[in-house]
Amino acid sequence: MFKLMDLPYSQNALEPVIDADTMSFHYGKHHQTYVDNLNKEVEKDPNLEGKTLREVIENISKYSVATRNNGGGVFNHNFFWENLAPVGKNGEPSEALTKAINEAFGSFEKFKETFELAGAGRFGSGWAWLIVSDKKLKIVSTPNQDNTLMDAYEVKGEPILVVDVWEHAYYLQYQNKRAAFLKDFWQIVNWNKVNELYNNAIK
Ligand code: MN3
């Protein structure tokens, strides 16, 4: 059985970028529902028994559509919460990551712009990701709860940074202004975590 992860901070810790109300619904209701619905699939499919979430995601083509949607939902939200940290306690991109970003996108500003556009341009619900693919940085967006670790998804790579652009991620605070949420998002990126994920991904 899968469990809802503990948040690495309190529900108001990401204010003013993500307020406690949004966090309470997003983590306490939406994320919890993905966990509950994934566990319903575990009850139906003995092949899910004893697997790690990562194993399920990497072999998602073997499982049901509900497992893809809810397993992805659990994995992506776990990843997202760990990608965030309170304003002023969120570190900075390492020298190695900054160099790779400049090589891939021309400048840090251009990288941010491209990432924001990937999020803003995702029609409907989904995610924008910074991934390492063949040791190079790439920005992609995925629909629904898909990610680039899924064998069934067309783009492959190790995620290092993600932002949730489902309306539930921002609507209580930002209403229809997804682009404004994406601009504010940079204030709470946990660069220490992103640096660590980058270092592991290029090994
Ligand atoms: Mn969400």
Side-chain angles (χ1 to χ4, degrees), residues 83 85 89-94 97 101 108 111-112 130 161 186-197:
N83 251 187
K89 292 182 187 161
N90 58 326
E92 283 175 11
S94 67
L97 179 60
I101 283 174
F108 202 77
F111 152 68
K112 290 203 318 192
L130 177 63
L161 174 67
W186 299 109
Q187 299 176 52
I188 52 167
V189 171
N190 183 353
W191 288 110
N192 298 325
K193 184 70 187 176
V194 180
N195 294 337
E196 179 196 317
L197 291 168

mmCIF file with all atom_site columns, all heavy atoms in Angstrom, residues 83 85 89-94 97 101 108 111-112 130 161 186-197:
data_model
loop_
_atom_site.group_PDB
_atom_site.id
_atom_site.type_symbol
_atom_site.label_atom_id
_atom_site.label_alt_id
_atom_site.label_comp_id
_atom_site.label_asym_id
_atom_site.label_entity_id
_atom_site.label_seq_id
_atom_site.pdbx_PDB_ins_code
_atom_site.Cartn_x
_atom_site.Cartn_y
_atom_site.Cartn_z
_atom_site.occupancy
_atom_site.B_iso_or_equiv
_atom_site.pdbx_formal_charge
_atom_site.auth_seq_id
_atom_site.auth_comp_id
_atom_site.auth_asym_id
_atom_site.auth_atom_id
_atom_site.pdbx_PDB_model_num
ATOM 1   N N   . ASN A 1 83  ? 10.668 19.590 -4.435  1.00 0.00 ? 83  ASN A N   1
ATOM 2   C CA  . ASN A 1 83  ? 11.308 20.591 -5.292  1.00 0.00 ? 83  ASN A CA  1
ATOM 3   C C   . ASN A 1 83  ? 11.153 22.005 -4.741  1.00 0.00 ? 83  ASN A C   1
ATOM 4   O O   . ASN A 1 83  ? 11.701 22.949 -5.289  1.00 0.00 ? 83  ASN A O   1
ATOM 5   C CB  . ASN A 1 83  ? 10.678 20.557 -6.682  1.00 0.00 ? 83  ASN A CB  1
ATOM 6   C CG  . ASN A 1 83  ? 11.559 19.992 -7.779  1.00 0.00 ? 83  ASN A CG  1
ATOM 7   O OD1 . ASN A 1 83  ? 11.198 20.051 -8.928  1.00 0.00 ? 83  ASN A OD1 1
ATOM 8   N ND2 . ASN A 1 83  ? 12.713 19.452 -7.445  1.00 0.00 ? 83  ASN A ND2 1
ATOM 9   N N   . ALA A 1 85  ? 10.830 24.989 -1.456  1.00 0.00 ? 85  ALA A N   1
ATOM 10  C CA  . ALA A 1 85  ? 11.331 25.366 -0.128  1.00 0.00 ? 85  ALA A CA  1
ATOM 11  C C   . ALA A 1 85  ? 10.902 26.812 0.142   1.00 0.00 ? 85  ALA A C   1
ATOM 12  O O   . ALA A 1 85  ? 10.647 27.568 -0.799  1.00 0.00 ? 85  ALA A O   1
ATOM 13  C CB  . ALA A 1 85  ? 12.851 25.249 -0.083  1.00 0.00 ? 85  ALA A CB  1
ATOM 14  N N   . LYS A 1 89  ? 14.960 30.453 1.933   1.00 0.00 ? 89  LYS A N   1
ATOM 15  C CA  . LYS A 1 89  ? 15.631 29.241 2.443   1.00 0.00 ? 89  LYS A CA  1
ATOM 16  C C   . LYS A 1 89  ? 15.771 28.223 1.326   1.00 0.00 ? 89  LYS A C   1
ATOM 17  O O   . LYS A 1 89  ? 15.816 27.020 1.557   1.00 0.00 ? 89  LYS A O   1
ATOM 18  C CB  . LYS A 1 89  ? 14.808 28.634 3.582   1.00 0.00 ? 89  LYS A CB  1
ATOM 19  C CG  . LYS A 1 89  ? 14.770 29.483 4.831   1.00 0.00 ? 89  LYS A CG  1
ATOM 20  C CD  . LYS A 1 89  ? 13.981 28.800 5.920   1.00 0.00 ? 89  LYS A CD  1
ATOM 21  C CE  . LYS A 1 89  ? 13.809 29.743 7.104   1.00 0.00 ? 89  LYS A CE  1
ATOM 22  N NZ  . LYS A 1 89  ? 12.705 29.311 7.977   1.00 0.00 ? 89  LYS A NZ  1
ATOM 23  N N   . ASN A 1 90  ? 15.777 28.738 0.089   1.00 0.00 ? 90  ASN A N   1
ATOM 24  C CA  . ASN A 1 90  ? 15.674 27.828 -1.047  1.00 0.00 ? 90  ASN A CA  1
ATOM 25  C C   . ASN A 1 90  ? 16.978 27.655 -1.830  1.00 0.00 ? 90  ASN A C   1
ATOM 26  O O   . ASN A 1 90  ? 16.996 26.995 -2.843  1.00 0.00 ? 90  ASN A O   1
ATOM 27  C CB  . ASN A 1 90  ? 14.528 28.271 -1.967  1.00 0.00 ? 90  ASN A CB  1
ATOM 28  C CG  . ASN A 1 90  ? 14.712 29.680 -2.475  1.00 0.00 ? 90  ASN A CG  1
ATOM 29  O OD1 . ASN A 1 90  ? 15.243 30.526 -1.777  1.00 0.00 ? 90  ASN A OD1 1
ATOM 30  N ND2 . ASN A 1 90  ? 14.297 29.925 -3.694  1.00 0.00 ? 90  ASN A ND2 1
ATOM 31  N N   . GLY A 1 91  ? 18.077 28.219 -1.321  1.00 0.00 ? 91  GLY A N   1
ATOM 32  C CA  . GLY A 1 91  ? 19.384 27.993 -1.954  1.00 0.00 ? 91  GLY A CA  1
ATOM 33  C C   . GLY A 1 91  ? 19.522 28.645 -3.319  1.00 0.00 ? 91  GLY A C   1
ATOM 34  O O   . GLY A 1 91  ? 18.704 29.475 -3.712  1.00 0.00 ? 91  GLY A O   1
ATOM 35  N N   . GLU A 1 92  ? 20.581 28.233 -4.010  1.00 0.00 ? 92  GLU A N   1
ATOM 36  C CA  . GLU A 1 92  ? 20.879 28.794 -5.333  1.00 0.00 ? 92  GLU A CA  1
ATOM 37  C C   . GLU A 1 92  ? 21.325 27.679 -6.262  1.00 0.00 ? 92  GLU A C   1
ATOM 38  O O   . GLU A 1 92  ? 21.848 26.670 -5.786  1.00 0.00 ? 92  GLU A O   1
ATOM 39  C CB  . GLU A 1 92  ? 22.062 29.765 -5.224  1.00 0.00 ? 92  GLU A CB  1
ATOM 40  C CG  . GLU A 1 92  ? 21.697 31.101 -4.654  1.00 0.00 ? 92  GLU A CG  1
ATOM 41  C CD  . GLU A 1 92  ? 22.924 31.985 -4.457  1.00 0.00 ? 92  GLU A CD  1
ATOM 42  O OE1 . GLU A 1 92  ? 24.020 31.626 -4.958  1.00 0.00 ? 92  GLU A OE1 1
ATOM 43  O OE2 . GLU A 1 92  ? 22.758 33.015 -3.804  1.00 0.00 ? 92  GLU A OE2 1
ATOM 44  N N   . PRO A 1 93  ? 21.165 27.869 -7.564  1.00 0.00 ? 93  PRO A N   1
ATOM 45  C CA  . PRO A 1 93  ? 21.679 26.849 -8.482  1.00 0.00 ? 93  PRO A CA  1
ATOM 46  C C   . PRO A 1 93  ? 23.198 26.743 -8.351  1.00 0.00 ? 93  PRO A C   1
ATOM 47  O O   . PRO A 1 93  ? 23.870 27.764 -8.221  1.00 0.00 ? 93  PRO A O   1
ATOM 48  C CB  . PRO A 1 93  ? 21.286 27.365 -9.870  1.00 0.00 ? 93  PRO A CB  1
ATOM 49  C CG  . PRO A 1 93  ? 20.528 28.625 -9.695  1.00 0.00 ? 93  PRO A CG  1
ATOM 50  C CD  . PRO A 1 93  ? 20.514 28.994 -8.255  1.00 0.00 ? 93  PRO A CD  1
ATOM 51  N N   . SER A 1 94  ? 23.716 25.527 -8.367  1.00 0.00 ? 94  SER A N   1
ATOM 52  C CA  . SER A 1 94  ? 25.169 25.305 -8.242  1.00 0.00 ? 94  SER A CA  1
ATOM 53  C C   . SER A 1 94  ? 25.882 25.835 -9.486  1.00 0.00 ? 94  SER A C   1
ATOM 54  O O   . SER A 1 94  ? 25.253 26.099 -10.513 1.00 0.00 ? 94  SER A O   1
ATOM 55  C CB  . SER A 1 94  ? 25.444 23.815 -8.090  1.00 0.00 ? 94  SER A CB  1
ATOM 56  O OG  . SER A 1 94  ? 25.098 23.148 -9.294  1.00 0.00 ? 94  SER A OG  1
ATOM 57  N N   . LEU A 1 97  ? 25.306 23.368 -12.349 1.00 0.00 ? 97  LEU A N   1
ATOM 58  C CA  . LEU A 1 97  ? 23.966 23.468 -12.942 1.00 0.00 ? 97  LEU A CA  1
ATOM 59  C C   . LEU A 1 97  ? 23.827 24.758 -13.747 1.00 0.00 ? 97  LEU A C   1
ATOM 60  O O   . LEU A 1 97  ? 23.279 24.755 -14.860 1.00 0.00 ? 97  LEU A O   1
ATOM 61  C CB  . LEU A 1 97  ? 22.887 23.395 -11.842 1.00 0.00 ? 97  LEU A CB  1
ATOM 62  C CG  . LEU A 1 97  ? 21.441 23.521 -12.328 1.00 0.00 ? 97  LEU A CG  1
ATOM 63  C CD1 . LEU A 1 97  ? 21.074 22.404 -13.316 1.00 0.00 ? 97  LEU A CD1 1
ATOM 64  C CD2 . LEU A 1 97  ? 20.469 23.501 -11.144 1.00 0.00 ? 97  LEU A CD2 1
ATOM 65  N N   . ILE A 1 101 ? 22.851 25.041 -17.614 1.00 0.00 ? 101 ILE A N   1
ATOM 66  C CA  . ILE A 1 101 ? 21.683 25.843 -18.032 1.00 0.00 ? 101 ILE A CA  1
ATOM 67  C C   . ILE A 1 101 ? 22.089 26.847 -19.106 1.00 0.00 ? 101 ILE A C   1
ATOM 68  O O   . ILE A 1 101 ? 21.421 26.996 -20.132 1.00 0.00 ? 101 ILE A O   1
ATOM 69  C CB  . ILE A 1 101 ? 21.040 26.546 -16.805 1.00 0.00 ? 101 ILE A CB  1
ATOM 70  C CG1 . ILE A 1 101 ? 20.220 25.531 -15.997 1.00 0.00 ? 101 ILE A CG1 1
ATOM 71  C CG2 . ILE A 1 101 ? 20.166 27.732 -17.234 1.00 0.00 ? 101 ILE A CG2 1
ATOM 72  C CD1 . ILE A 1 101 ? 19.644 26.052 -14.689 1.00 0.00 ? 101 ILE A CD1 1
ATOM 73  N N   . PHE A 1 108 ? 20.440 32.225 -18.013 1.00 0.00 ? 108 PHE A N   1
ATOM 74  C CA  . PHE A 1 108 ? 19.511 31.826 -16.965 1.00 0.00 ? 108 PHE A CA  1
ATOM 75  C C   . PHE A 1 108 ? 18.129 32.442 -17.205 1.00 0.00 ? 108 PHE A C   1
ATOM 76  O O   . PHE A 1 108 ? 17.107 31.793 -16.993 1.00 0.00 ? 108 PHE A O   1
ATOM 77  C CB  . PHE A 1 108 ? 20.049 32.218 -15.584 1.00 0.00 ? 108 PHE A CB  1
ATOM 78  C CG  . PHE A 1 108 ? 19.449 31.399 -14.479 1.00 0.00 ? 108 PHE A CG  1
ATOM 79  C CD1 . PHE A 1 108 ? 19.880 30.100 -14.248 1.00 0.00 ? 108 PHE A CD1 1
ATOM 80  C CD2 . PHE A 1 108 ? 18.432 31.908 -13.687 1.00 0.00 ? 108 PHE A CD2 1
ATOM 81  C CE1 . PHE A 1 108 ? 19.301 29.313 -13.251 1.00 0.00 ? 108 PHE A CE1 1
ATOM 82  C CE2 . PHE A 1 108 ? 17.851 31.133 -12.682 1.00 0.00 ? 108 PHE A CE2 1
ATOM 83  C CZ  . PHE A 1 108 ? 18.291 29.834 -12.467 1.00 0.00 ? 108 PHE A CZ  1
ATOM 84  N N   . PHE A 1 111 ? 16.388 30.508 -19.849 1.00 0.00 ? 111 PHE A N   1
ATOM 85  C CA  . PHE A 1 111 ? 15.925 29.234 -19.278 1.00 0.00 ? 111 PHE A CA  1
ATOM 86  C C   . PHE A 1 111 ? 14.591 29.431 -18.548 1.00 0.00 ? 111 PHE A C   1
ATOM 87  O O   . PHE A 1 111 ? 13.631 28.689 -18.764 1.00 0.00 ? 111 PHE A O   1
ATOM 88  C CB  . PHE A 1 111 ? 16.988 28.671 -18.315 1.00 0.00 ? 111 PHE A CB  1
ATOM 89  C CG  . PHE A 1 111 ? 16.432 27.808 -17.219 1.00 0.00 ? 111 PHE A CG  1
ATOM 90  C CD1 . PHE A 1 111 ? 15.863 26.571 -17.502 1.00 0.00 ? 111 PHE A CD1 1
ATOM 91  C CD2 . PHE A 1 111 ? 16.468 28.238 -15.881 1.00 0.00 ? 111 PHE A CD2 1
ATOM 92  C CE1 . PHE A 1 111 ? 15.324 25.778 -16.477 1.00 0.00 ? 111 PHE A CE1 1
ATOM 93  C CE2 . PHE A 1 111 ? 15.930 27.463 -14.869 1.00 0.00 ? 111 PHE A CE2 1
ATOM 94  C CZ  . PHE A 1 111 ? 15.358 26.225 -15.171 1.00 0.00 ? 111 PHE A CZ  1
ATOM 95  N N   . LYS A 1 112 ? 14.530 30.456 -17.702 1.00 0.00 ? 112 LYS A N   1
ATOM 96  C CA  . LYS A 1 112 ? 13.307 30.707 -16.940 1.00 0.00 ? 112 LYS A CA  1
ATOM 97  C C   . LYS A 1 112 ? 12.125 30.991 -17.870 1.00 0.00 ? 112 LYS A C   1
ATOM 98  O O   . LYS A 1 112 ? 11.023 30.497 -17.683 1.00 0.00 ? 112 LYS A O   1
ATOM 99  C CB  . LYS A 1 112 ? 13.504 31.882 -15.962 1.00 0.00 ? 112 LYS A CB  1
ATOM 100 C CG  . LYS A 1 112 ? 14.438 31.513 -14.824 1.00 0.00 ? 112 LYS A CG  1
ATOM 101 C CD  . LYS A 1 112 ? 14.300 32.320 -13.540 1.00 0.00 ? 112 LYS A CD  1
ATOM 102 C CE  . LYS A 1 112 ? 14.127 33.777 -13.654 1.00 0.00 ? 112 LYS A CE  1
ATOM 103 N NZ  . LYS A 1 112 ? 14.289 34.491 -12.378 1.00 0.00 ? 112 LYS A NZ  1
ATOM 104 N N   . LEU A 1 130 ? 12.039 20.304 -16.008 1.00 0.00 ? 130 LEU A N   1
ATOM 105 C CA  . LEU A 1 130 ? 13.428 20.373 -16.471 1.00 0.00 ? 130 LEU A CA  1
ATOM 106 C C   . LEU A 1 130 ? 13.972 18.969 -16.269 1.00 0.00 ? 130 LEU A C   1
ATOM 107 O O   . LEU A 1 130 ? 13.902 18.423 -15.160 1.00 0.00 ? 130 LEU A O   1
ATOM 108 C CB  . LEU A 1 130 ? 14.223 21.391 -15.638 1.00 0.00 ? 130 LEU A CB  1
ATOM 109 C CG  . LEU A 1 130 ? 15.717 21.514 -15.967 1.00 0.00 ? 130 LEU A CG  1
ATOM 110 C CD1 . LEU A 1 130 ? 15.948 22.011 -17.394 1.00 0.00 ? 130 LEU A CD1 1
ATOM 111 C CD2 . LEU A 1 130 ? 16.414 22.439 -14.959 1.00 0.00 ? 130 LEU A CD2 1
ATOM 112 N N   . LEU A 1 161 ? 13.461 19.218 -12.001 1.00 0.00 ? 161 LEU A N   1
ATOM 113 C CA  . LEU A 1 161 ? 12.625 20.329 -11.511 1.00 0.00 ? 161 LEU A CA  1
ATOM 114 C C   . LEU A 1 161 ? 11.252 20.232 -12.173 1.00 0.00 ? 161 LEU A C   1
ATOM 115 O O   . LEU A 1 161 ? 11.159 19.947 -13.367 1.00 0.00 ? 161 LEU A O   1
ATOM 116 C CB  . LEU A 1 161 ? 13.277 21.671 -11.874 1.00 0.00 ? 161 LEU A CB  1
ATOM 117 C CG  . LEU A 1 161 ? 12.470 22.947 -11.562 1.00 0.00 ? 161 LEU A CG  1
ATOM 118 C CD1 . LEU A 1 161 ? 12.304 23.145 -10.057 1.00 0.00 ? 161 LEU A CD1 1
ATOM 119 C CD2 . LEU A 1 161 ? 13.141 24.182 -12.176 1.00 0.00 ? 161 LEU A CD2 1
ATOM 120 N N   . TRP A 1 186 ? 9.529  30.803 -8.996  1.00 0.00 ? 186 TRP A N   1
ATOM 121 C CA  . TRP A 1 186 ? 10.997 30.806 -8.847  1.00 0.00 ? 186 TRP A CA  1
ATOM 122 C C   . TRP A 1 186 ? 11.450 31.137 -7.424  1.00 0.00 ? 186 TRP A C   1
ATOM 123 O O   . TRP A 1 186 ? 12.506 30.717 -6.995  1.00 0.00 ? 186 TRP A O   1
ATOM 124 C CB  . TRP A 1 186 ? 11.639 31.788 -9.846  1.00 0.00 ? 186 TRP A CB  1
ATOM 125 C CG  . TRP A 1 186 ? 11.345 31.394 -11.260 1.00 0.00 ? 186 TRP A CG  1
ATOM 126 C CD1 . TRP A 1 186 ? 10.518 32.040 -12.133 1.00 0.00 ? 186 TRP A CD1 1
ATOM 127 C CD2 . TRP A 1 186 ? 11.817 30.229 -11.951 1.00 0.00 ? 186 TRP A CD2 1
ATOM 128 N NE1 . TRP A 1 186 ? 10.454 31.358 -13.326 1.00 0.00 ? 186 TRP A NE1 1
ATOM 129 C CE2 . TRP A 1 186 ? 11.246 30.249 -13.249 1.00 0.00 ? 186 TRP A CE2 1
ATOM 130 C CE3 . TRP A 1 186 ? 12.675 29.171 -11.606 1.00 0.00 ? 186 TRP A CE3 1
ATOM 131 C CZ2 . TRP A 1 186 ? 11.500 29.247 -14.192 1.00 0.00 ? 186 TRP A CZ2 1
ATOM 132 C CZ3 . TRP A 1 186 ? 12.926 28.179 -12.545 1.00 0.00 ? 186 TRP A CZ3 1
ATOM 133 C CH2 . TRP A 1 186 ? 12.349 28.234 -13.818 1.00 0.00 ? 186 TRP A CH2 1
ATOM 134 N N   . GLN A 1 187 ? 10.633 31.884 -6.699  1.00 0.00 ? 187 GLN A N   1
ATOM 135 C CA  . GLN A 1 187 ? 10.988 32.266 -5.322  1.00 0.00 ? 187 GLN A CA  1
ATOM 136 C C   . GLN A 1 187 ? 11.016 31.087 -4.356  1.00 0.00 ? 187 GLN A C   1
ATOM 137 O O   . GLN A 1 187 ? 11.553 31.193 -3.260  1.00 0.00 ? 187 GLN A O   1
ATOM 138 C CB  . GLN A 1 187 ? 9.972  33.278 -4.770  1.00 0.00 ? 187 GLN A CB  1
ATOM 139 C CG  . GLN A 1 187 ? 9.884  34.584 -5.527  1.00 0.00 ? 187 GLN A CG  1
ATOM 140 C CD  . GLN A 1 187 ? 8.773  35.433 -4.927  1.00 0.00 ? 187 GLN A CD  1
ATOM 141 O OE1 . GLN A 1 187 ? 8.740  35.660 -3.722  1.00 0.00 ? 187 GLN A OE1 1
ATOM 142 N NE2 . GLN A 1 187 ? 7.868  35.900 -5.754  1.00 0.00 ? 187 GLN A NE2 1
ATOM 143 N N   . ILE A 1 188 ? 10.373 29.967 -4.757  1.00 0.00 ? 188 ILE A N   1
ATOM 144 C CA  . ILE A 1 188 ? 10.301 28.823 -3.839  1.00 0.00 ? 188 ILE A CA  1
ATOM 145 C C   . ILE A 1 188 ? 10.920 27.553 -4.427  1.00 0.00 ? 188 ILE A C   1
ATOM 146 O O   . ILE A 1 188 ? 10.672 26.449 -3.940  1.00 0.00 ? 188 ILE A O   1
ATOM 147 C CB  . ILE A 1 188 ? 8.844  28.538 -3.380  1.00 0.00 ? 188 ILE A CB  1
ATOM 148 C CG1 . ILE A 1 188 ? 7.897  28.408 -4.580  1.00 0.00 ? 188 ILE A CG1 1
ATOM 149 C CG2 . ILE A 1 188 ? 8.353  29.637 -2.421  1.00 0.00 ? 188 ILE A CG2 1
ATOM 150 C CD1 . ILE A 1 188 ? 6.520  27.832 -4.219  1.00 0.00 ? 188 ILE A CD1 1
ATOM 151 N N   . VAL A 1 189 ? 11.721 27.707 -5.472  1.00 0.00 ? 189 VAL A N   1
ATOM 152 C CA  . VAL A 1 189 ? 12.413 26.530 -6.010  1.00 0.00 ? 189 VAL A CA  1
ATOM 153 C C   . VAL A 1 189 ? 13.516 26.117 -5.031  1.00 0.00 ? 189 VAL A C   1
ATOM 154 O O   . VAL A 1 189 ? 14.365 26.935 -4.662  1.00 0.00 ? 189 VAL A O   1
ATOM 155 C CB  . VAL A 1 189 ? 13.015 26.810 -7.402  1.00 0.00 ? 189 VAL A CB  1
ATOM 156 C CG1 . VAL A 1 189 ? 13.908 25.656 -7.853  1.00 0.00 ? 189 VAL A CG1 1
ATOM 157 C CG2 . VAL A 1 189 ? 11.915 27.051 -8.427  1.00 0.00 ? 189 VAL A CG2 1
ATOM 158 N N   . ASN A 1 190 ? 13.489 24.879 -4.612  1.00 0.00 ? 190 ASN A N   1
ATOM 159 C CA  . ASN A 1 190 ? 14.512 24.345 -3.700  1.00 0.00 ? 190 ASN A CA  1
ATOM 160 C C   . ASN A 1 190 ? 15.758 23.965 -4.521  1.00 0.00 ? 190 ASN A C   1
ATOM 161 O O   . ASN A 1 190 ? 15.928 22.821 -4.932  1.00 0.00 ? 190 ASN A O   1
ATOM 162 C CB  . ASN A 1 190 ? 13.940 23.118 -2.970  1.00 0.00 ? 190 ASN A CB  1
ATOM 163 C CG  . ASN A 1 190 ? 14.906 22.545 -1.963  1.00 0.00 ? 190 ASN A CG  1
ATOM 164 O OD1 . ASN A 1 190 ? 16.064 22.967 -1.867  1.00 0.00 ? 190 ASN A OD1 1
ATOM 165 N ND2 . ASN A 1 190 ? 14.446 21.574 -1.195  1.00 0.00 ? 190 ASN A ND2 1
ATOM 166 N N   . TRP A 1 191 ? 16.619 24.962 -4.734  1.00 0.00 ? 191 TRP A N   1
ATOM 167 C CA  . TRP A 1 191 ? 17.786 24.735 -5.600  1.00 0.00 ? 191 TRP A CA  1
ATOM 168 C C   . TRP A 1 191 ? 18.729 23.696 -5.022  1.00 0.00 ? 191 TRP A C   1
ATOM 169 O O   . TRP A 1 191 ? 19.417 22.997 -5.774  1.00 0.00 ? 191 TRP A O   1
ATOM 170 C CB  . TRP A 1 191 ? 18.517 26.054 -5.880  1.00 0.00 ? 191 TRP A CB  1
ATOM 171 C CG  . TRP A 1 191 ? 17.731 26.935 -6.804  1.00 0.00 ? 191 TRP A CG  1
ATOM 172 C CD1 . TRP A 1 191 ? 17.094 28.106 -6.490  1.00 0.00 ? 191 TRP A CD1 1
ATOM 173 C CD2 . TRP A 1 191 ? 17.451 26.704 -8.198  1.00 0.00 ? 191 TRP A CD2 1
ATOM 174 N NE1 . TRP A 1 191 ? 16.442 28.612 -7.589  1.00 0.00 ? 191 TRP A NE1 1
ATOM 175 C CE2 . TRP A 1 191 ? 16.642 27.778 -8.647  1.00 0.00 ? 191 TRP A CE2 1
ATOM 176 C CE3 . TRP A 1 191 ? 17.790 25.697 -9.099  1.00 0.00 ? 191 TRP A CE3 1
ATOM 177 C CZ2 . TRP A 1 191 ? 16.183 27.862 -9.972  1.00 0.00 ? 191 TRP A CZ2 1
ATOM 178 C CZ3 . TRP A 1 191 ? 17.324 25.789 -10.418 1.00 0.00 ? 191 TRP A CZ3 1
ATOM 179 C CH2 . TRP A 1 191 ? 16.541 26.849 -10.842 1.00 0.00 ? 191 TRP A CH2 1
ATOM 180 N N   . ASN A 1 192 ? 18.786 23.592 -3.702  1.00 0.00 ? 192 ASN A N   1
ATOM 181 C CA  . ASN A 1 192 ? 19.650 22.565 -3.101  1.00 0.00 ? 192 ASN A CA  1
ATOM 182 C C   . ASN A 1 192 ? 19.238 21.174 -3.590  1.00 0.00 ? 192 ASN A C   1
ATOM 183 O O   . ASN A 1 192 ? 20.072 20.329 -3.915  1.00 0.00 ? 192 ASN A O   1
ATOM 184 C CB  . ASN A 1 192 ? 19.589 22.626 -1.574  1.00 0.00 ? 192 ASN A CB  1
ATOM 185 C CG  . ASN A 1 192 ? 20.103 23.962 -1.067  1.00 0.00 ? 192 ASN A CG  1
ATOM 186 O OD1 . ASN A 1 192 ? 21.027 24.547 -1.639  1.00 0.00 ? 192 ASN A OD1 1
ATOM 187 N ND2 . ASN A 1 192 ? 19.488 24.476 -0.015  1.00 0.00 ? 192 ASN A ND2 1
ATOM 188 N N   . LYS A 1 193 ? 17.921 20.954 -3.645  1.00 0.00 ? 193 LYS A N   1
ATOM 189 C CA  . LYS A 1 193 ? 17.395 19.669 -4.118  1.00 0.00 ? 193 LYS A CA  1
ATOM 190 C C   . LYS A 1 193 ? 17.646 19.499 -5.619  1.00 0.00 ? 193 LYS A C   1
ATOM 191 O O   . LYS A 1 193 ? 18.058 18.429 -6.070  1.00 0.00 ? 193 LYS A O   1
ATOM 192 C CB  . LYS A 1 193 ? 15.882 19.609 -3.819  1.00 0.00 ? 193 LYS A CB  1
ATOM 193 C CG  . LYS A 1 193 ? 15.223 18.312 -4.168  1.00 0.00 ? 193 LYS A CG  1
ATOM 194 C CD  . LYS A 1 193 ? 15.654 17.203 -3.230  1.00 0.00 ? 193 LYS A CD  1
ATOM 195 C CE  . LYS A 1 193 ? 15.136 15.845 -3.682  1.00 0.00 ? 193 LYS A CE  1
ATOM 196 N NZ  . LYS A 1 193 ? 15.652 14.775 -2.800  1.00 0.00 ? 193 LYS A NZ  1
ATOM 197 N N   . VAL A 1 194 ? 17.404 20.571 -6.384  1.00 0.00 ? 194 VAL A N   1
ATOM 198 C CA  . VAL A 1 194 ? 17.595 20.498 -7.841  1.00 0.00 ? 194 VAL A CA  1
ATOM 199 C C   . VAL A 1 194 ? 19.077 20.208 -8.158  1.00 0.00 ? 194 VAL A C   1
ATOM 200 O O   . VAL A 1 194 ? 19.386 19.373 -9.017  1.00 0.00 ? 194 VAL A O   1
ATOM 201 C CB  . VAL A 1 194 ? 17.118 21.797 -8.534  1.00 0.00 ? 194 VAL A CB  1
ATOM 202 C CG1 . VAL A 1 194 ? 17.309 21.715 -10.052 1.00 0.00 ? 194 VAL A CG1 1
ATOM 203 C CG2 . VAL A 1 194 ? 15.651 22.085 -8.214  1.00 0.00 ? 194 VAL A CG2 1
ATOM 204 N N   . ASN A 1 195 ? 19.990 20.864 -7.426  1.00 0.00 ? 195 ASN A N   1
ATOM 205 C CA  . ASN A 1 195 ? 21.433 20.617 -7.614  1.00 0.00 ? 195 ASN A CA  1
ATOM 206 C C   . ASN A 1 195 ? 21.773 19.146 -7.379  1.00 0.00 ? 195 ASN A C   1
ATOM 207 O O   . ASN A 1 195 ? 22.507 18.530 -8.152  1.00 0.00 ? 195 ASN A O   1
ATOM 208 C CB  . ASN A 1 195 ? 22.261 21.455 -6.632  1.00 0.00 ? 195 ASN A CB  1
ATOM 209 C CG  . ASN A 1 195 ? 22.147 22.951 -6.895  1.00 0.00 ? 195 ASN A CG  1
ATOM 210 O OD1 . ASN A 1 195 ? 21.822 23.372 -8.006  1.00 0.00 ? 195 ASN A OD1 1
ATOM 211 N ND2 . ASN A 1 195 ? 22.401 23.752 -5.867  1.00 0.00 ? 195 ASN A ND2 1
ATOM 212 N N   . GLU A 1 196 ? 21.208 18.606 -6.297  1.00 0.00 ? 196 GLU A N   1
ATOM 213 C CA  . GLU A 1 196 ? 21.468 17.204 -5.931  1.00 0.00 ? 196 GLU A CA  1
ATOM 214 C C   . GLU A 1 196 ? 20.935 16.262 -7.020  1.00 0.00 ? 196 GLU A C   1
ATOM 215 O O   . GLU A 1 196 ? 21.615 15.324 -7.445  1.00 0.00 ? 196 GLU A O   1
ATOM 216 C CB  . GLU A 1 196 ? 20.758 16.952 -4.589  1.00 0.00 ? 196 GLU A CB  1
ATOM 217 C CG  . GLU A 1 196 ? 20.865 15.563 -4.027  1.00 0.00 ? 196 GLU A CG  1
ATOM 218 C CD  . GLU A 1 196 ? 19.809 15.339 -2.927  1.00 0.00 ? 196 GLU A CD  1
ATOM 219 O OE1 . GLU A 1 196 ? 19.612 16.243 -2.074  1.00 0.00 ? 196 GLU A OE1 1
ATOM 220 O OE2 . GLU A 1 196 ? 19.170 14.271 -2.945  1.00 0.00 ? 196 GLU A OE2 1
ATOM 221 N N   . LEU A 1 197 ? 19.721 16.539 -7.498  1.00 0.00 ? 197 LEU A N   1
ATOM 222 C CA  . LEU A 1 197 ? 19.118 15.700 -8.544  1.00 0.00 ? 197 LEU A CA  1
ATOM 223 C C   . LEU A 1 197 ? 19.921 15.800 -9.842  1.00 0.00 ? 197 LEU A C   1
ATOM 224 O O   . LEU A 1 197 ? 20.114 14.807 -10.546 1.00 0.00 ? 197 LEU A O   1
ATOM 225 C CB  . LEU A 1 197 ? 17.661 16.115 -8.788  1.00 0.00 ? 197 LEU A CB  1
ATOM 226 C CG  . LEU A 1 197 ? 16.679 15.798 -7.657  1.00 0.00 ? 197 LEU A CG  1
ATOM 227 C CD1 . LEU A 1 197 ? 15.343 16.517 -7.884  1.00 0.00 ? 197 LEU A CD1 1
ATOM 228 C CD2 . LEU A 1 197 ? 16.444 14.295 -7.526  1.00 0.00 ? 197 LEU A CD2 1
#
